[in-house]
Amino acid sequence: SGNFVFRKTGTGATTVLGIGANNINVSIGSTSGGNFTGISVVGASLGLVVYNDGYALQINGGVDALVGIPDLTVMASGLQVMAITTAQTVQNYQITIPGSDTPITLNFTQGAPFFEALGHITLGVANLGSISGDFGVQKVSDGGTGSYLALGVNNVNVVLGTSDTNFTIAGASLGILIHTVGGTTTYAMVTSGGTDTLNGVPGLTFTGSLSLLFNNGVDTTAANIPTTVQTASGAVSLDFSSLGTGAHGMSIQGTANLDIAGFFTINNGSFIIQKSSVGTTTKILIAIAVPSATMGSAAFGLQFTDVQFGLVIYRDPAASGSTYALTASIGAVTVNGLPSGTTLSGSASLMINT
């Protein structure tokens, strides 16, 4: 159900067709025993203007839900779709629908071809967990014969487990950039893990964060490459500069705080793993830093401070094997709980270069 209007102006090559609809309610599925199973759309609207060389389209999706499936919840809201293929200027183009006080307004500041979809989605599975976030999809020209497809998800919140025992991710984001030209497709991906927490496990506490950068062939120095993708709650960055100017690379980094029954703790630990290529040589870099860690307790145990580890591996396909350099150090090791007047402390370091 809904309200709609069709409007035609001009003749021949100057013909313009305008189509508008609002208060659209749609149910796609089946009803059995008084229970509906399918897709429900409530309060959607649509505006479309068609010229002889293309069109401009705007959709507001209302509230969309998959209903009637036991233990599964899927709901989307704030869905907006914008697409333009015409070279005509479509700004503040209004379509008035009979019985409605507010016209549908099409306002495109982007030139053709352009596509964008934004919204918020929630997915829940009983006894397993839930995920929600604001998403965005954009498709733009690369300035030549190819195109970029950018996908972003912001404010990602994930709960894996039950209501009292679970692993949660709060405030994460994901960005994917896909480049297609001449039948060849490459992609790059960036993630930010937000705040990751383990909850409800007696004697075990973990909090941390994780981020990932990965490039599988996208030329990140190209002039028209998108640097952000819009979502319903803001932009997700598509910044791959820390991987260098090469078209292939990977970086994983994160932080961690860990407490195992008060016996072993790590405070503000951090790590990074990077893979890059220089010519035909592959380089892998691994670094770990732990400002402080404890085994035992302050009353009796070992206290470690300024723990560092670094490893770089080179693989040249023209050589018979890999080479590496390694450094590891512990700034200080202290034994706690010794008899009064007795202390034991020291440091350690290791360096290897092949």
Side-chain angles (χ1 to χ4, degrees), residues 68-94:
I69 300 179
D71 300 329
L72 178 64
T73 300
V74 180
M75 180 172 291
S77 61
L79 178 63
Q80 296 182 352
V81 178
M82 296 182 70
I84 183 169
T85 65
T86 177
Q88 302 289 332
T89 299
V90 183
Q91 294 183 355
N92 294 319
Y93 184 95
Q94 294 188 341

Side-chain angles (χ1 to χ4, degrees), residues 11 19 32 53 70 100 106 140-141 185 208 237 247 269 272 281 295 323 349:
T11 60
I19 302 174
S32 177
D53 67 335
S100 176
L106 280 67
V140 296
S141 170
T185 299
S237 174
I272 185 170
T281 301
M295 182 176 293
T323 58
S349 64

Side-chain angles (χ1 to χ4, degrees), residues 67-165:
V67 297
I69 300 179
D71 300 329
L72 178 64
T73 300
V74 180
M75 180 172 291
S77 61
L79 178 63
Q80 296 182 352
V81 178
M82 296 182 70
I84 183 169
T85 65
T86 177
Q88 302 289 332
T89 299
V90 183
Q91 294 183 355
N92 294 319
Y93 184 95
Q94 294 188 341
I95 302 174
T96 300
I97 300 174
S100 176
D101 295 331
T102 304
I104 295 176
T105 302
L106 280 67
N107 190 26
F108 286 80
T109 59
Q110 307 86 354
F114 175 80
F115 172 85
E116 177 180 77
L118 309 174
H120 178 86
I121 190 169
T122 299
L123 169 65
V125 180
N127 302 315
L128 177 61
S130 64
I131 180 172
S132 64
D134 303 311
F135 68 89
V137 181
Q138 293 176 333
K139 183 178 181 180
V140 296
S141 170
D142 66 357
T145 59
S147 63
Y148 290 106
L149 181 65
L151 301 92
V153 187
N154 205 14
N155 290 332
V156 178
N157 298 303
V158 180
V159 179
L160 298 175
T162 64
S163 60
D164 58 357
T165 304

